[in-house]
Amino acid sequence: MKCRDHCGACCIAPSINSPIPGMPNGKPAGIRCVQLNEQNMCKIFGQPERPAFCGGLQPSAEMCGDTREQAITWLTHLEQITAPALPQQ
């Protein structure tokens, strides 16, 4: 499966804990990556400074769904269920 044109869901919904050019501390979930251009395409795709996490994401019918909104919903849910538990106070 190929990425959906002008989607960018995987560059918005998940958190990225490794440095990204322009985001030295990575990015929080739900925040648009600074490397995502106006057409929702990665400006550093295929370059060595692109985080390994990004290269590891591969489009699939389950992750991408039929629309950009479905992809964001699925990735947001995945982010929530895999987030480390907060310590109890």
Side-chain angles (χ1 to χ4, degrees), residues 11 20-23 27 31-37 43:
C11 302
I20 302 165
M23 298 180 107
K27 71 165 224 60
I31 300 297
R32 183 180 179 86
C33 178
V34 298
Q35 295 300 327
L36 195 59
N37 71 18
K43 294 187 255 181

Side-chain angles (χ1 to χ4, degrees), residues 13-17 28-30 53 74-84:
S15 60
I16 299 174
N17 295 323
F53 171 83
W74 192 88
L75 287 163
T76 299
H77 177 70
L78 184 63
E79 178 73 27
Q80 292 168 345
I81 64 172
T82 59

